[in-house]
Amino acid sequence: MHNSNDTLTVAALALIAMCAVTFAHEALGHGGLCLLLGGRIDLLSSSIFRCSLRSGWIDAAGPAANLVVGFAALVARLAAPPGFAK
């Protein structure tokens, strides 16, 4: 049985996932470490981040945040009961 809302549902979920990944990368990753190191966020958008401090650690924090959030999502999915995501 095919539901006509499947395409719209998948598109909406993809948009939510894109927003979550971008937030994790730019705000939590780069932004979080910038603030933890005592810097000030000068620019934060969906694709650009600038901190008042320069650090390779801040540069690496975005991809690291993606890995952490992705791993957490995998653990949550594996912990879900069978058939939960059907």
Side-chain angles (χ1 to χ4, degrees):
M1 178 183 217
H2 177 37
N3 186 343
S4 62
N5 292 329
D6 286 345
T7 302
L8 186 57
T9 301
V10 170
L13 290 172
L15 183 62
I16 291 168
M18 184 274 309
C19 291
V21 167
T22 300
F23 174 76
H25 182 93
E26 300 294 343
L28 292 181
H30 297 307
L33 192 57
C34 172
L35 295 175
L36 282 175
L37 293 177
R40 184 186 71 253
I41 297 172
D42 293 330
L43 177 63
L44 176 61
S45 75
S46 62
S47 60
I48 299 172
F49 177 83
R50 289 198 187 115
C51 179
S52 61
L53 300 175
R54 296 276 188 195
S55 171
W57 292 105
I58 295 172
D59 296 340
N66 286 125
L67 289 172
V68 169
V69 170
F71 183 73
L74 176 63
V75 169
R77 172 59 186 108
L78 294 175
F84 179 75
K86 278 190 175 184

